[in-house]
Amino acid sequence: MRSRFRSDRRLTVRMGITLFLLGLLYVGFVAALIALLKSWVLVVVIVALMFGAQYWFSDRIALFAMRGRIVERDEYPELHGVVDRLAAMADMPKPVVAVSEMEMPNAFATGRNPDNAVVCVTTGLLRRLEPAELEGVLAHELSHVAHKDVAVITVASFLGVIAGLIVRFAFYSQLFGGRRDQNTMAVLAVVMGVSAAVYALSFLLIRALSRYRELAADRAAALLTGRPSALAAALTKVTGDIARIPTKDLRTAQAFNAFYFTPAFGSEPGLGRFFATHPSLEQRLDQLGRISAELGGTTAPGKV
């Protein structure tokens, strides 16, 4: 079933190119591990099990990591009402609704397809936003599900996760593995080098896709609700509030930045801005301002 969220051909093309390039990288990575470790059965079985676990249980993993829990209608009737209305407007299945008891104002969507999706908001977000602003944020998250880019990011991030784990394993194995012969040490060094290169390449590919998909979700949400100014107000409010939270309190959340409505950066993000998962606030507000003008609405907050 096709939703009423406006399709984005450029997003579809970017997702296809990213998956193709990561697929080539994935095949090369597994082949290199098999050649180096000389045990193709072990490599294939471990990689397949981890891939399956991430694909099938990504929603549960994300909810567990962010302390989210599924909530029923009688507990959060207004939240369910907004999700019901947006799902009906978009002509898509209603996702499972969850809430995370976190002060950080944010939201995310996860799941392998629209029939197995979860949209989660933090209590900090619910306390801060007006109804129209909350609707804009949730429309943004539902558009990720409708465009299927949540599943693509989940699959795409798998290779980087595996490569990162192997780098850590090889590093600690060299530190604490005791005395080894030169051949074993050379194999470990090559495995760590290949894994580090794969991690770096997959990291850059995912970041490039992630920044564009956020702009696509903003655009789709603004067009579905017809209120880009409300989404712009939510962006401005949430980004400003997150910036005032100490960075040390955001470190756990930063691992999931690619899935959030807006990234969990503290007041001093440093070099993180150069490898951001999201476009800048200015870029997002500029786009919403143009959409608002096209729709004949008001100018986005903070823009002339």
Side-chain angles (χ1 to χ4, degrees), residues 154-200:
T154 298
V155 171
S157 63
F158 166 74
L159 183 58
V161 170
I162 292 295
L165 289 174
I166 290 176
V167 169
R168 292 183 185 181
F169 173 78
F171 177 75
Y172 288 116
S173 178
Q174 288 193 46
L175 283 181
F176 306 112
R179 301 185 64 181
R180 299 176 183 273
D181 59 56
Q182 290 185 343
N183 289 336
T184 302
M185 293 296 291
V187 169
L188 282 174
V190 173
V191 168
M192 190 160 66
V194 170
S195 300
V198 168
Y199 178 82

Side-chain angles (χ1 to χ4, degrees), residues 59-293:
D59 52 347
R60 300 180 192 179
I61 293 171
L63 282 178
F64 176 79
M66 297 313 300
R67 305 195 300 274
R69 63 183 181 87
I70 296 172
V71 296
E72 301 300 331
R73 183 181 301 277
D74 57 353
E75 190 174 0
Y76 284 88
E78 294 181 2
L79 177 60
H80 270 272
V82 176
V83 176
D84 281 333
R85 184 167 63 255
L86 288 171
M89 289 170 61
D91 193 21
M92 63 184 291
K94 179 186 176 182
V96 172
V97 179
V99 171
S100 173
E101 300 287 340
M102 295 179 65
E103 180 59 26
M104 178 189 69
N106 227 319
F108 66 90
T110 184
R112 61 187 183 273
N113 56 47
D115 292 317
N116 296 276
V118 178
V119 60
C120 180
V121 298
T122 66
T123 52
L125 186 81
L126 293 176
R127 284 195 294 270
R128 286 170 170 85
L129 297 189
E130 299 297 326
E133 296 167 351
L134 178 62
E135 181 182 68
V137 172
L138 290 172
H140 171 104
E141 296 305 328
L142 288 182
S143 75
H144 282 315
V145 176
H147 289 156
K148 298 182 175 62
D149 56 80
V150 170
V152 171
I153 285 292
T154 298
V155 171
S157 63
F158 166 74
L159 183 58
V161 170
I162 292 295
L165 289 174
I166 290 176
V167 169
R168 292 183 185 181
F169 173 78
F171 177 75
Y172 288 116
S173 178
Q174 288 193 46
L175 283 181
F176 306 112
R179 301 185 64 181
R180 299 176 183 273
D181 59 56
Q182 290 185 343
N183 289 336
T184 302
M185 293 296 291
V187 169
L188 282 174
V190 173
V191 168
M192 190 160 66
V194 170
S195 300
V198 168
Y199 178 82
L201 290 172
S202 62
F203 179 92
L204 293 175
L205 286 171
I206 292 168
R207 290 305 185 275
L209 174 61
S210 182
R211 286 192 291 270
Y212 184 84
R213 84 184 188 108
E214 294 302 329
L215 290 174
D218 284 347
R219 184 164 50 250
L223 292 173
L224 180 73
T225 63
R227 289 189 283 190
S229 59
L231 179 56
L235 268 170
T236 303
K237 189 180 294 184
V238 169
T239 303
D241 285 349
I242 288 179
R244 288 190 285 271
I245 299 175
T247 302
K248 62 183 178 63
D249 295 335
L250 298 175
R251 285 174 183 164
T252 300
Q254 286 174 355
F256 290 87
N257 269 347
F259 293 92
Y260 281 137
F261 170 64
T262 190
F265 281 127
S267 57
E268 298 180 2
L271 293 176
R273 291 294 186 194
F274 296 100
F275 305 103
T277 55
H278 291 59
S280 67
L281 176 62
E282 290 73 21
Q283 285 178 286
R284 298 176 76 173
L285 292 181
D286 281 339
Q287 176 180 249
L288 291 170
R290 291 193 298 271
I291 295 172
S292 185

